[in-house]
Amino acid sequence: MSEEKFESLSKTQSGSLGEPHTLKASPDFIANRSVAEDVYARSTRDRLGFWEERASELHWFKKWDGVLDWNPPWVRWFEGGQLNAAYNCLDRHLDGDRRTKPAVIFEGENGGSRTLTYEELYAEVCKGANLLKSLGVTKGDRVTIFMPMIVETVVCMLACARIGAVHCVVFGGFSAGALRERIADVQAKLVITTDDGQRRGKIIKMKGIVEEALRVGCDCVEKVVVVERRQSEQGGTGSGLQGKELAKREPQAADPRFVFYHDALRDMPVDCPAEVMDAEDMLFVLYTSGTTGKPKGVVHTTGGYMTGVAATHRYVFDLKEDDIYWCTADVGWITGHSYIVYGPLANGATVVLYEGAPDYPDKDRYWQIIDKHKVTIFYTAPTAIRSFMKWGLSYLEKHDLSSLRVLASVGEPINPEVWKWYYKYVGGERCPVCDTWWQTETGMIMLSPLAGLSEMKPGSCSSPFPGVKVNVLNRAGEVAEWGHNGYLTVPEPWPAMMRTIYGDDNRYVKSYWSHWPGIYFSGDAARRDQDGFFWIIGRVDDVINVSGHRISAMEVESALLEHPIVAEAACVGKTHEVKGQALVVFVTLRDKDAPKDEVIAELRQFLAGRIGAFARPEEIYLTNDLPKTRSGKIIRRLLKDIAEGRALGDTTTMEGSQVLKELYKG
Ligand code: PRX
């Protein structure tokens, strides 16, 4: 751990420990709660036994021989066990009443809905799996999925899982360059995309982005499957495309690499046996940002991951058979993988899948969906809640939200005021609020109250999930005293933990396991209060969390350096009222006389093109120089002070303090 990082951590320490008092769920909620009272005691008594019990709730073709093989940081859970993730999400629900239960309720941005029962979803997935097989995809092959939030995205993920292919979903907001990098890194054999995506009424040419991505350096890709949105909206009946639309696809039909999904699906049989996978076979790779410019392909395997996400989804949200569960995350991020697809479907839940934005066509869109589908469990991000607060209560008041019984939050620290607003106005003071802390790397929720069982404190993610251990450590690696800021770590392996970084074991060891041997370091700072509640402070590395999107400062900087006008660049995060954090960029130019306004506009656009629109900086400072240490390292800490408008921190190690004075003037 570098000195610089520890210093910045100490400075974030605040006197306040948040709310001293705790809140309980209502007596009514508690009386109907499904989770057993003694779950914490049970898991403490026999941690591995607890996880074995959770694993037994899945369907295994063959039971495991050993529960845990731990050779830090290498782990194997449920060694010798065999199962299939898609089988667990579909086939095993077909015997009883769940056969005709809605599995996915899709809500389009335009208000159209489409519901698939478990039986229907099973049929779609089997056909999709047969399509993949017919295109030469076999067990272990990687498939990149670049899609908006539509039914076929879920179907294709499960179709990959069914045949043992490794899916690699890339968030639909990424640019061609970012997509290309991820396709090439994972060496995808096939890419699945849509012709168009839609966001706030605007059409996004997804296929165009894929075509651009494939132009160079993606020779690994043999086929591109294109899902046509019109067909998706009509439930894939295939009657939708006529005249102009058919003409539009002709030139592509001539390219033998392109396959039209719904056309091809029509000839596919419904029968497709699920591939028998070892517990430690790879299920998916998902890219996330680290502290270097290169994204990390986080690897998750099958048995432990499925055990972890199914158990957490059921326990945290107090899931019941008739719940209508809605998680607003994008399926392109880990929350979508674990808590839209694998956790809920493994539990036979009914999942709402919404394609659009919270403010389209109006700012009451989420409340309208909750009312329309009688949503009972609602899982969203603090950024969204902060926007709702800003937009005002009138939007909520138009709708009946009385179906809600559990609320949850993920992705960023939720400030106590935001928590209280969520509890009071969305939940009507009758719904427990679960602030869930976890990461792409952890795969599953690690810290959270269990609805109805745990006490809650507004703004705190409460305590570790049963069977999980989490510690706040000081620099020496000792457990920090309560009230002291420290590093958030996990001292014992957990089932859904990442296994490595795709193709880069060394980076895996270095990024997560090199600070304290055998202990996982999350990259976050936190503190525990006198009641044992955890309070997350935020990242202590150079990862910036913008509206719950993890962005690496280095990734932004290296993208900027590709622009011919940029000589040097530095990127930092700044507190933002709605987004949590926003990007602020400092740039020195090769041509000092370039017209400032034009350069700034150009660089904003350039970053959107290189990474994605969500990486557009809030502010760009043009400057003659950047503050550096004597060894030439840019001092981001000082730039952060400037971005936040704070008095400057310690400048003793800095070269040329004049630079800073000039910068400070803006
Ligand atoms: O900084 C923490 C923050 O999000 C990071 C993980 O981001 P990602 O891998 O994209 O996964 C997001 C969804 C699980 C963490 O290192 N974070 C996540 N949840 C919380 C949080 N910060 C505070 N409170 C949370 N509940």
Side-chain angles (χ1 to χ4, degrees), residues 288 333-335 409-414 435-441 461 522-524 536 538-539 545 548-550:
T288 189
W333 305 112
I334 192 67
T335 310
S409 153
V410 62
E412 310 148 64
I414 179 165
D435 173 21
T436 63
W437 176 87
W438 58 294
Q439 309 178 293
T440 307
E441 293 88 339
C461 53
S522 64
D524 279 353
I536 308 294
R539 305 285 312 187
N545 192 335
H549 296 317
R550 253 167 85 165

mmCIF file of all heavy atoms in Angstrom, residues 288 333-335 409-414 435-441 461 522-524 536 538-539 545 548-550, ligand 1:
data_model
loop_
_atom_site.group_PDB
_atom_site.id
_atom_site.type_symbol
_atom_site.label_atom_id
_atom_site.label_comp_id
_atom_site.label_asym_id
_atom_site.label_seq_id
_atom_site.Cartn_x
_atom_site.Cartn_y
_atom_site.Cartn_z
ATOM 1 N N THR A 288 -14.303 -5.142 -15.972
ATOM 2 C CA THR A 288 -14.496 -4.002 -15.081
ATOM 3 C C THR A 288 -13.218 -3.181 -15.097
ATOM 4 O O THR A 288 -12.187 -3.639 -15.592
ATOM 5 C CB THR A 288 -14.871 -4.463 -13.658
ATOM 6 O OG1 THR A 288 -15.263 -3.317 -12.892
ATOM 7 C CG2 THR A 288 -13.731 -5.157 -12.951
ATOM 8 N N TRP A 333 -23.677 -5.111 -16.490
ATOM 9 C CA TRP A 333 -22.825 -5.014 -15.314
ATOM 10 C C TRP A 333 -23.105 -6.206 -14.409
ATOM 11 O O TRP A 333 -24.060 -6.944 -14.596
ATOM 12 C CB TRP A 333 -23.088 -3.714 -14.546
ATOM 13 C CG TRP A 333 -22.952 -2.466 -15.363
ATOM 14 C CD1 TRP A 333 -23.964 -1.620 -15.712
ATOM 15 C CD2 TRP A 333 -21.753 -1.911 -15.941
ATOM 16 N NE1 TRP A 333 -23.466 -0.569 -16.463
ATOM 17 C CE2 TRP A 333 -22.115 -0.727 -16.621
ATOM 18 C CE3 TRP A 333 -20.416 -2.299 -15.953
ATOM 19 C CZ2 TRP A 333 -21.200 0.070 -17.297
ATOM 20 C CZ3 TRP A 333 -19.495 -1.502 -16.619
ATOM 21 C CH2 TRP A 333 -19.882 -0.341 -17.272
ATOM 22 N N ILE A 334 -22.311 -6.334 -13.352
ATOM 23 C CA ILE A 334 -22.437 -7.528 -12.508
ATOM 24 C C ILE A 334 -23.809 -7.606 -11.825
ATOM 25 O O ILE A 334 -24.348 -8.696 -11.643
ATOM 26 C CB ILE A 334 -21.290 -7.595 -11.457
ATOM 27 C CG1 ILE A 334 -21.252 -8.973 -10.774
ATOM 28 C CG2 ILE A 334 -21.407 -6.491 -10.428
ATOM 29 C CD1 ILE A 334 -20.880 -10.127 -11.621
ATOM 30 N N THR A 335 -24.382 -6.462 -11.460
ATOM 31 C CA THR A 335 -25.687 -6.524 -10.789
ATOM 32 C C THR A 335 -26.713 -7.192 -11.696
ATOM 33 O O THR A 335 -27.551 -7.977 -11.248
ATOM 34 C CB THR A 335 -26.162 -5.119 -10.373
ATOM 35 O OG1 THR A 335 -25.082 -4.492 -9.680
ATOM 36 C CG2 THR A 335 -27.353 -5.175 -9.459
ATOM 37 N N SER A 409 -30.577 -1.119 -2.418
ATOM 38 C CA SER A 409 -29.717 -0.156 -3.104
ATOM 39 C C SER A 409 -28.341 -0.771 -3.327
ATOM 40 O O SER A 409 -27.884 -1.595 -2.528
ATOM 41 C CB SER A 409 -29.649 1.081 -2.209
ATOM 42 O OG SER A 409 -28.473 1.794 -2.402
ATOM 43 N N VAL A 410 -27.671 -0.371 -4.382
ATOM 44 C CA VAL A 410 -26.354 -0.933 -4.705
ATOM 45 C C VAL A 410 -25.539 0.020 -5.556
ATOM 46 O O VAL A 410 -26.086 0.829 -6.281
ATOM 47 C CB VAL A 410 -26.489 -2.270 -5.474
ATOM 48 C CG1 VAL A 410 -27.203 -2.105 -6.802
ATOM 49 C CG2 VAL A 410 -25.128 -2.931 -5.704
ATOM 50 N N GLY A 411 -24.233 -0.090 -5.462
ATOM 51 C CA GLY A 411 -23.345 0.543 -6.434
ATOM 52 C C GLY A 411 -22.540 1.704 -5.902
ATOM 53 O O GLY A 411 -21.449 1.971 -6.393
ATOM 54 N N GLU A 412 -23.079 2.409 -4.927
ATOM 55 C CA GLU A 412 -22.389 3.578 -4.380
ATOM 56 C C GLU A 412 -22.827 3.728 -2.933
ATOM 57 O O GLU A 412 -23.875 3.211 -2.559
ATOM 58 C CB GLU A 412 -22.831 4.865 -5.079
ATOM 59 C CG GLU A 412 -22.824 4.875 -6.555
ATOM 60 C CD GLU A 412 -23.943 5.797 -7.022
ATOM 61 O OE1 GLU A 412 -23.877 7.004 -6.744
ATOM 62 O OE2 GLU A 412 -24.891 5.309 -7.631
ATOM 63 N N PRO A 413 -22.065 4.516 -2.184
ATOM 64 C CA PRO A 413 -22.539 4.811 -0.837
ATOM 65 C C PRO A 413 -23.876 5.548 -0.922
ATOM 66 O O PRO A 413 -24.073 6.393 -1.784
ATOM 67 C CB PRO A 413 -21.453 5.741 -0.270
ATOM 68 C CG PRO A 413 -20.246 5.482 -1.118
ATOM 69 C CD PRO A 413 -20.757 5.111 -2.480
ATOM 70 N N ILE A 414 -24.785 5.176 -0.055
ATOM 71 C CA ILE A 414 -26.086 5.873 -0.017
ATOM 72 C C ILE A 414 -26.056 6.762 1.220
ATOM 73 O O ILE A 414 -25.887 6.278 2.336
ATOM 74 C CB ILE A 414 -27.270 4.871 -0.027
ATOM 75 C CG1 ILE A 414 -28.611 5.585 0.037
ATOM 76 C CG2 ILE A 414 -27.176 3.809 1.063
ATOM 77 C CD1 ILE A 414 -29.810 4.696 -0.336
ATOM 78 N N ASP A 435 -29.165 -1.804 1.984
ATOM 79 C CA ASP A 435 -28.032 -1.250 1.247
ATOM 80 C C ASP A 435 -27.036 -2.386 1.090
ATOM 81 O O ASP A 435 -26.502 -2.892 2.071
ATOM 82 C CB ASP A 435 -27.425 -0.079 2.019
ATOM 83 C CG ASP A 435 -26.134 0.416 1.382
ATOM 84 O OD1 ASP A 435 -25.926 0.153 0.187
ATOM 85 O OD2 ASP A 435 -25.336 1.067 2.084
ATOM 86 N N THR A 436 -26.783 -2.778 -0.163
ATOM 87 C CA THR A 436 -25.954 -3.957 -0.414
ATOM 88 C C THR A 436 -24.598 -3.542 -0.960
ATOM 89 O O THR A 436 -24.521 -2.892 -1.999
ATOM 90 C CB THR A 436 -26.640 -4.889 -1.426
ATOM 91 O OG1 THR A 436 -26.770 -4.209 -2.683
ATOM 92 C CG2 THR A 436 -28.016 -5.319 -0.954
ATOM 93 N N TRP A 437 -23.534 -3.901 -0.265
ATOM 94 C CA TRP A 437 -22.181 -3.627 -0.768
ATOM 95 C C TRP A 437 -21.601 -4.901 -1.364
ATOM 96 O O TRP A 437 -21.617 -5.956 -0.718
ATOM 97 C CB TRP A 437 -21.241 -3.135 0.340
ATOM 98 C CG TRP A 437 -19.835 -2.969 -0.210
ATOM 99 C CD1 TRP A 437 -19.334 -1.859 -0.819
ATOM 100 C CD2 TRP A 437 -18.783 -3.949 -0.237
ATOM 101 N NE1 TRP A 437 -18.039 -2.086 -1.237
ATOM 102 C CE2 TRP A 437 -17.677 -3.374 -0.890
ATOM 103 C CE3 TRP A 437 -18.687 -5.281 0.204
ATOM 104 C CZ2 TRP A 437 -16.474 -4.046 -1.096
ATOM 105 C CZ3 TRP A 437 -17.490 -5.965 -0.007
ATOM 106 C CH2 TRP A 437 -16.399 -5.341 -0.647
ATOM 107 N N TRP A 438 -21.086 -4.764 -2.561
ATOM 108 C CA TRP A 438 -20.374 -5.865 -3.202
ATOM 109 C C TRP A 438 -19.720 -5.339 -4.466
ATOM 110 O O TRP A 438 -19.725 -4.132 -4.711
ATOM 111 C CB TRP A 438 -21.301 -7.055 -3.455
ATOM 112 C CG TRP A 438 -22.518 -6.788 -4.294
ATOM 113 C CD1 TRP A 438 -23.591 -5.992 -3.976
ATOM 114 C CD2 TRP A 438 -22.795 -7.320 -5.591
ATOM 115 N NE1 TRP A 438 -24.503 -6.006 -4.999
ATOM 116 C CE2 TRP A 438 -24.048 -6.811 -6.006
ATOM 117 C CE3 TRP A 438 -22.116 -8.180 -6.459
ATOM 118 C CZ2 TRP A 438 -24.626 -7.135 -7.238
ATOM 119 C CZ3 TRP A 438 -22.698 -8.512 -7.674
ATOM 120 C CH2 TRP A 438 -23.928 -7.978 -8.051
ATOM 121 N N GLN A 439 -19.155 -6.228 -5.277
ATOM 122 C CA GLN A 439 -18.373 -5.806 -6.448
ATOM 123 C C GLN A 439 -18.461 -6.857 -7.565
ATOM 124 O O GLN A 439 -18.815 -8.008 -7.293
ATOM 125 C CB GLN A 439 -16.897 -5.716 -6.076
ATOM 126 C CG GLN A 439 -16.589 -4.918 -4.849
ATOM 127 C CD GLN A 439 -15.103 -4.932 -4.558
ATOM 128 O OE1 GLN A 439 -14.540 -5.970 -4.225
ATOM 129 N NE2 GLN A 439 -14.458 -3.782 -4.688
ATOM 130 N N THR A 440 -18.039 -6.446 -8.757
ATOM 131 C CA THR A 440 -17.925 -7.403 -9.865
ATOM 132 C C THR A 440 -17.104 -8.603 -9.395
ATOM 133 O O THR A 440 -17.428 -9.754 -9.691
ATOM 134 C CB THR A 440 -17.197 -6.731 -11.056
ATOM 135 O OG1 THR A 440 -17.875 -5.510 -11.357
ATOM 136 C CG2 THR A 440 -17.179 -7.628 -12.273
ATOM 137 N N GLU A 441 -16.066 -8.313 -8.650
ATOM 138 C CA GLU A 441 -15.138 -9.356 -8.216
ATOM 139 C C GLU A 441 -15.750 -10.288 -7.176
ATOM 140 O O GLU A 441 -15.433 -11.467 -7.138
ATOM 141 C CB GLU A 441 -13.882 -8.714 -7.607
ATOM 142 C CG GLU A 441 -13.018 -7.950 -8.592
ATOM 143 C CD GLU A 441 -13.420 -6.485 -8.763
ATOM 144 O OE1 GLU A 441 -14.586 -6.135 -8.444
ATOM 145 O OE2 GLU A 441 -12.584 -5.695 -9.221
ATOM 146 N N CYS A 461 -24.375 -0.254 5.230
ATOM 147 C CA CYS A 461 -24.707 -1.527 4.585
ATOM 148 C C CYS A 461 -24.670 -2.654 5.603
ATOM 149 O O CYS A 461 -24.580 -3.826 5.229
ATOM 150 C CB CYS A 461 -23.806 -1.778 3.390
ATOM 151 S SG CYS A 461 -22.093 -1.648 3.807
ATOM 152 N N SER A 522 -10.453 -5.105 -1.354
ATOM 153 C CA SER A 522 -11.515 -4.671 -2.267
ATOM 154 C C SER A 522 -11.194 -3.395 -3.025
ATOM 155 O O SER A 522 -11.845 -3.086 -4.017
ATOM 156 C CB SER A 522 -12.781 -4.431 -1.448
ATOM 157 O OG SER A 522 -12.542 -3.343 -0.545
ATOM 158 N N GLY A 523 -10.239 -2.603 -2.515
ATOM 159 C CA GLY A 523 -10.010 -1.278 -3.109
ATOM 160 C C GLY A 523 -10.863 -0.201 -2.463
ATOM 161 O O GLY A 523 -10.771 0.968 -2.808
ATOM 162 N N ASP A 524 -11.716 -0.577 -1.512
ATOM 163 C CA ASP A 524 -12.580 0.389 -0.827
ATOM 164 C C ASP A 524 -12.080 0.672 0.591
ATOM 165 O O ASP A 524 -11.454 -0.181 1.214
ATOM 166 C CB ASP A 524 -14.007 -0.168 -0.678
ATOM 167 C CG ASP A 524 -14.823 0.005 -1.945
ATOM 168 O OD1 ASP A 524 -14.345 0.670 -2.873
ATOM 169 O OD2 ASP A 524 -15.936 -0.528 -1.999
ATOM 170 N N ILE A 536 -19.399 2.395 4.266
ATOM 171 C CA ILE A 536 -18.448 2.426 3.150
ATOM 172 C C ILE A 536 -18.084 3.878 2.857
ATOM 173 O O ILE A 536 -18.963 4.741 2.742
ATOM 174 C CB ILE A 536 -19.049 1.802 1.871
ATOM 175 C CG1 ILE A 536 -19.623 0.413 2.157
ATOM 176 C CG2 ILE A 536 -18.017 1.773 0.738
ATOM 177 C CD1 ILE A 536 -18.643 -0.645 2.535
ATOM 178 N N GLY A 538 -15.621 4.673 0.226
ATOM 179 C CA GLY A 538 -15.439 4.756 -1.235
ATOM 180 C C GLY A 538 -14.093 4.196 -1.626
ATOM 181 O O GLY A 538 -13.358 3.657 -0.789
ATOM 182 N N ARG A 539 -13.756 4.356 -2.888
ATOM 183 C CA ARG A 539 -12.530 3.757 -3.410
ATOM 184 C C ARG A 539 -11.299 4.488 -2.877
ATOM 185 O O ARG A 539 -11.310 5.703 -2.718
ATOM 186 C CB ARG A 539 -12.501 3.840 -4.944
ATOM 187 C CG ARG A 539 -13.688 3.253 -5.649
ATOM 188 C CD ARG A 539 -13.744 1.775 -5.706
ATOM 189 N NE ARG A 539 -12.518 1.136 -6.126
ATOM 190 C CZ ARG A 539 -12.425 -0.179 -6.370
ATOM 191 N NH1 ARG A 539 -13.491 -0.962 -6.255
ATOM 192 N NH2 ARG A 539 -11.289 -0.712 -6.733
ATOM 193 N N ASN A 545 -16.187 6.227 -9.414
ATOM 194 C CA ASN A 545 -17.511 5.621 -9.521
ATOM 195 C C ASN A 545 -18.523 6.694 -9.944
ATOM 196 O O ASN A 545 -18.998 7.474 -9.138
ATOM 197 C CB ASN A 545 -17.854 5.038 -8.143
ATOM 198 C CG ASN A 545 -19.053 4.134 -8.179
ATOM 199 O OD1 ASN A 545 -19.911 4.263 -9.049
ATOM 200 N ND2 ASN A 545 -19.124 3.217 -7.236
ATOM 201 N N GLY A 548 -22.505 4.920 -10.407
ATOM 202 C CA GLY A 548 -22.409 3.474 -10.275
ATOM 203 C C GLY A 548 -21.604 2.805 -11.385
ATOM 204 O O GLY A 548 -21.424 1.601 -11.375
ATOM 205 N N HIS A 549 -21.113 3.573 -12.366
ATOM 206 C CA HIS A 549 -20.232 3.004 -13.391
ATOM 207 C C HIS A 549 -18.802 3.161 -12.918
ATOM 208 O O HIS A 549 -18.363 4.271 -12.618
ATOM 209 C CB HIS A 549 -20.355 3.742 -14.729
ATOM 210 C CG HIS A 549 -21.702 3.645 -15.361
ATOM 211 N ND1 HIS A 549 -22.417 2.493 -15.417
ATOM 212 C CD2 HIS A 549 -22.457 4.567 -15.986
ATOM 213 C CE1 HIS A 549 -23.558 2.696 -16.042
ATOM 214 N NE2 HIS A 549 -23.613 3.965 -16.389
ATOM 215 N N ARG A 550 -18.075 2.063 -12.884
ATOM 216 C CA ARG A 550 -16.669 2.135 -12.471
ATOM 217 C C ARG A 550 -15.819 2.570 -13.641
ATOM 218 O O ARG A 550 -15.824 1.935 -14.677
ATOM 219 C CB ARG A 550 -16.232 0.732 -12.053
ATOM 220 C CG ARG A 550 -16.074 0.585 -10.600
ATOM 221 C CD ARG A 550 -15.971 -0.855 -10.266
ATOM 222 N NE ARG A 550 -14.606 -1.347 -10.399
ATOM 223 C CZ ARG A 550 -14.217 -2.509 -9.875
ATOM 224 N NH1 ARG A 550 -15.068 -3.268 -9.228
ATOM 225 N NH2 ARG A 550 -12.977 -2.900 -10.002
HETATM 226 O O1 PRX B 1 -16.717 1.244 -4.357
HETATM 227 C C1 PRX B 1 -17.647 0.201 -4.193
HETATM 228 C C2 PRX B 1 -18.941 0.564 -4.900
HETATM 229 O O2 PRX B 1 -18.868 -0.017 -6.178
HETATM 230 C C3 PRX B 1 -17.642 -0.738 -6.336
HETATM 231 C C4 PRX B 1 -17.889 -1.980 -7.134
HETATM 232 O O3 PRX B 1 -18.304 -1.623 -8.419
HETATM 233 P P1 PRX B 1 -18.760 -2.731 -9.446
HETATM 234 O O4 PRX B 1 -17.751 -3.803 -9.496
HETATM 235 O O5 PRX B 1 -19.088 -2.034 -10.713
HETATM 236 O O6 PRX B 1 -20.049 -3.351 -8.820
HETATM 237 C C5 PRX B 1 -21.144 -2.516 -8.569
HETATM 238 C C6 PRX B 1 -22.333 -3.339 -8.149
HETATM 239 C C7 PRX B 1 -22.076 -4.380 -7.160
HETATM 240 C C8 PRX B 1 -17.210 -1.036 -4.926
HETATM 241 O O7 PRX B 1 -15.816 -1.274 -4.856
HETATM 242 N N1 PRX B 1 -20.109 0.035 -4.193
HETATM 243 C C9 PRX B 1 -20.872 -1.002 -4.537
HETATM 244 N N2 PRX B 1 -21.911 -1.140 -3.679
HETATM 245 C C10 PRX B 1 -21.777 -0.171 -2.756
HETATM 246 C C11 PRX B 1 -20.623 0.575 -3.075
HETATM 247 N N3 PRX B 1 -20.212 1.602 -2.317
HETATM 248 C C12 PRX B 1 -20.941 1.889 -1.232
HETATM 249 N N4 PRX B 1 -22.057 1.227 -0.870
HETATM 250 C C13 PRX B 1 -22.526 0.206 -1.597
HETATM 251 N N5 PRX B 1 -23.630 -0.420 -1.248
#
